[in-house]
Amino acid sequence: MKCLQIQKGKSVEKGKWQNFYANIEGFDFEPGYIYKLSVKEEKIDPAKVPADGSSIKYTLVEILEKNPDPKFRIHDIWALEAIDGQIVEKPDENDRMQIPSIEVNITEMRIMGTDGCNNFFGPVKNIDEDELTFGPLGSTMKMCFNMEIPNKFNVAINKVSSYKIENLKLYFFDINGTELLRFKKVD
């Protein structure tokens, strides 16, 4: 089930989000934005509350702020440039290998792509403005002639704990802040 993530109060604290499963009457959420809302809460007569419903009615009073969500900058397709700081060369025309690439879909909280030989997919487990972790990644199991780049890529992507975007480049780092993978924006 999809739900909103909320914080009550005047300020937003990192990591203090709570899932909100009720409806806010008059509010239409648009993915890619962080909102600050004024919401009226009304208790509903317990005799009139459906078995699966909330005992509180939430009604939008006013949208106080609507700002772009910075983590949505990663929501795109990215082609690999480097692994562990080493530039990845374009495969030979006759080789069946591809340049590794990823597609990060924040709306659906998933990642997919190719390691150059096999396709992979899995959940985005956690993301905020600079932290990023993936859930278990699944993949196809083809054997290509040269597995050096796919193997390095797979080891690196499973160590990702943070990221940054700078000049249309996406950087993935390990827990120590060491650059693992560097991508360039595809489109």
Side-chain angles (χ1 to χ4, degrees):
M1 175 180 188
K2 289 188 177 181
C3 64
L4 298 175
Q5 289 191 314
I6 67 163
Q7 289 189 28
K8 292 184 177 183
K10 301 263 184 215
S11 62
V12 174
E13 294 181 49
K14 186 175 180 176
K16 299 289 184 179
W17 296 99
Q18 298 176 341
N19 291 338
F20 182 79
Y21 296 100
N23 181 42
I24 301 174
E25 196 173 290
F27 176 63
D28 291 317
F29 175 75
E30 184 181 349
Y33 292 93
I34 296 177
Y35 295 85
K36 188 177 218 180
L37 306 175
S38 174
V39 176
K40 181 171 93 174
E41 296 181 14
E42 297 176 77
K43 288 202 181 277
I44 299 173
D45 178 1
K48 296 180 181 180
V49 176
D52 63 346
S54 174
S55 62
I56 300 173
K57 177 182 175 187
Y58 300 93
T59 307
L60 177 67
V61 175
E62 180 182 9
I63 296 176
L64 303 171
E65 291 179 20
K66 179 182 177 183
N67 298 312
D69 187 343
K71 70 184 176 223
F72 264 77
R73 293 179 40 210
I74 196 173
H75 183 100
D76 215 324
I77 300 171
W78 305 87
L80 186 70
E81 274 191 347
I83 299 176
D84 296 326
Q86 301 293 315
I87 299 296
V88 174
E89 300 295 328
K90 186 176 180 188
D92 186 301
E93 286 289 321
N94 298 324
D95 194 349
R96 293 178 187 229
M97 300 288 285
Q98 303 172 350
I99 290 285
S101 63
I102 62 168
E103 178 179 350
V104 182
N105 186 319
I106 297 304
T107 305
E108 297 180 14
M109 292 295 283
R110 63 186 173 89
I111 183 174
M112 67 197 98
T114 177
D115 63 11
C117 177
N118 287 288
N119 295 327
F120 68 89
F121 51 89
V124 173
K125 188 173 165 184
N126 176 47
I127 185 167
D128 64 21
E129 291 180 35
D130 58 0
E131 294 176 3
L132 175 67
T133 53
F134 303 119
L137 299 177
S139 77
T140 56
M141 297 294 291
K142 296 186 294 187
M143 179 58 97
C144 293
F145 178 71
N146 183 350
M147 292 296 292
E148 181 182 356
I149 296 297
N151 289 341
K152 284 182 176 180
F153 179 87
N154 288 317
V155 167
I157 200 152
N158 282 294
K159 293 181 181 177
V160 173
S161 69
S162 63
Y163 75 100
K164 80 173 178 182
I165 297 174
E166 193 173 81
N167 299 325
L168 300 178
K169 299 209 188 256
L170 170 63
Y171 300 83
F172 284 168
F173 303 98
D174 67 13
I175 197 157
N176 299 315
T178 304
E179 181 184 315
L180 299 168
L181 301 165
R182 181 173 63 236
F183 299 87
K184 64 181 175 185
K185 195 170 176 136
V186 169
D187 48 9

